[in-house]
Amino acid sequence: LSGIPHQGQVGFLTLHEAYKYFEVGTHYKVPEIPVWVIYSESHYSVMFSEDVDAFHATRDGKVDRPFDLYYWDMLANQDEVIKLTVTPNTNNVALPDIDDEKELIPPLDLVVRTKWLGCLVDWNGSEP
């Protein structure tokens, strides 16, 4: 497969990349505006950031300071906004092993880490 020839206005991230089924290209991971369509668990949802400065600073996938992402999943009948805080893993906290079947890793954490490698994801009290 080949990717799109130019940067998209909005991005695309998927759980399939976390499981190494395929890789999403840079033109979708780094869209013109910080909005991503998410494909995870057989349906689509959306994630965005209001922090445009952090978005531009993390274009290479490296997180140098915390920033917030907002997630909306219509299928989940959300009553509240889900705010995720993405933080650099400066203390080298061991991340859960995706291949360990006993680990309960929120799928969205895995999706976020396909764009921001090795980051920590805080759900700020929301249920994953």
Side-chain angles (χ1 to χ4, degrees):
L1 296 174
S2 77
I4 61 172
H6 304 288
Q7 184 180 34
Q9 277 193 305
V10 299
F12 176 75
L13 301 172
T14 178
L15 185 60
H16 290 297
E17 182 172 1
Y19 288 116
K20 304 200 183 320
Y21 295 140
F22 59 84
E23 183 177 346
V24 174
T26 304
H27 288 140
Y28 272 135
K29 283 187 181 177
V30 185
E32 291 177 15
I33 58 174
V35 175
W36 294 267
V37 172
I38 306 295
Y39 183 69
S40 177
E41 301 184 301
S42 301
H43 70 281
Y44 295 92
S45 53
V46 68
M47 182 172 67
F48 66 93
S49 177
E50 294 178 321
D51 189 342
V52 176
D53 291 336
F55 167 68
H56 290 298
T58 65
R59 292 176 83 75
D60 62 358
K62 295 179 182 147
V63 179
D64 60 355
R65 66 175 177 88
F67 65 94
D68 295 327
L69 294 170
Y70 296 89
Y71 178 68
W72 184 255
D73 185 345
M74 185 70 171
L75 195 61
N77 294 320
Q78 275 180 240
D79 292 332
E80 61 187 38
V81 173
I82 294 176
K83 180 174 86 170
L84 306 172
T85 301
V86 177
T87 307
N89 192 354
T90 54
N91 294 330
N92 295 320
V93 173
L95 298 175
D97 181 0
I98 192 172
D99 296 320
D100 185 346
E101 294 178 9
K102 294 177 185 170
E103 290 280 359
L104 296 175
I105 309 168
L108 190 57
D109 284 22
L110 298 173
V111 171
V112 167
R113 287 190 190 111
T114 65
K115 164 79 175 107
W116 296 282
L117 307 175
C119 71
L120 302 176
V121 180
D122 181 354
W123 284 71
N124 297 301
S126 294
E127 279 293 313

